[in-house]
Amino acid sequence: MAGAGRDGFDETAPVFVISVAAELSGMHPQTLRQYDRLGLVTPSRSSGRGRRYSARDVSRLRQVQQLSQEEGINLAGIKRILELEDQVRSLAEQMESARRAVERHLSEGTAQRVFAADREGRVTALRRGERPEERRQSGALVLWRPQRRP
């Protein structure tokens, strides 16, 4: 499962109707609707257009409430904080993906020791002296590991 934790529960599965999500987060359903309109928490929609919240959405609602009530941050500030946290999480996932790809290439015993990673995290092995295609446009990152001399 995409968002499954150790116990097999998918925290991204949209399972809670708005009344349940409101109760779990300690908020009024109208507050959840307002947060949805503002883009703070964007629940999935059922076929009848009803909002469906995941456990991750409920956790985010609690975070919004904590930032607002305990830290005194306005909703525009909270939205920016959440956007930046999402961006950091995405970049960390891309870095981890690139790290795994490099480790996979190294463990396969290939002779190439130079790799290029594009913005999507795809890693390709390069020959010595070879440059990644469209490096300037793609924002490719070249990784280099020097050979150890005996």
Side-chain angles (χ1 to χ4, degrees):
M1 292 181 186
R6 279 185 249 157
D7 58 2
F9 176 73
D10 185 356
E11 64 182 21
T12 63
V15 294
F16 304 116
V17 295
I18 192 167
S19 59
V20 174
E23 186 174 331
L24 290 171
S25 63
M27 297 180 188
H28 192 277
Q30 193 60 35
T31 304
L32 274 63
R33 290 182 188 95
Q34 179 68 21
Y35 288 175
D36 184 11
R37 279 191 291 276
L38 294 172
L40 293 170
V41 177
T42 308
S44 298
R45 298 287 182 155
S46 67
S47 57
R49 301 290 300 145
R51 292 171 175 88
R52 293 291 184 266
Y53 293 83
S54 68
R56 185 175 288 171
D57 292 331
V58 171
S59 175
R60 192 167 178 128
L61 287 166
R62 289 179 182 152
Q63 182 183 13
V64 169
Q65 185 176 41
Q66 186 264 331
L67 289 169
S68 174
Q69 293 179 356
E70 295 175 23
E71 305 297 330
I73 300 171
N74 66 25
L75 296 179
I78 292 171
K79 183 175 183 179
R80 185 66 180 137
I81 289 168
L82 296 175
E83 288 170 349
L84 290 170
E85 285 180 348
D86 289 344
Q87 185 179 13
V88 167
R89 189 176 302 109
S90 174
L91 291 170
E93 289 170 1
Q94 287 179 23
M95 283 294 297
E96 180 60 22
S97 174
R99 185 191 62 75
R100 283 193 310 268
V102 168
E103 285 180 358
R104 186 178 65 248
H105 282 292
L106 290 174
S107 69
E108 290 172 355
T110 57
Q112 294 110 349
R113 299 179 62 88
V114 179
F115 303 90
D118 64 15
R119 289 183 183 182
E120 285 76 40
R122 291 184 300 259
V123 176
T124 55
L126 303 173
R127 289 185 209 92
R128 292 192 188 279
E130 181 182 8
R131 298 277 184 210
E133 293 180 21
E134 301 180 30
R135 182 171 55 124
R136 288 192 177 97
Q137 290 83 10
S138 70
L141 166 70
V142 177
L143 302 171
W144 177 70
R145 181 179 292 188
Q147 286 184 330
R148 293 194 172 103
R149 303 245 187 241

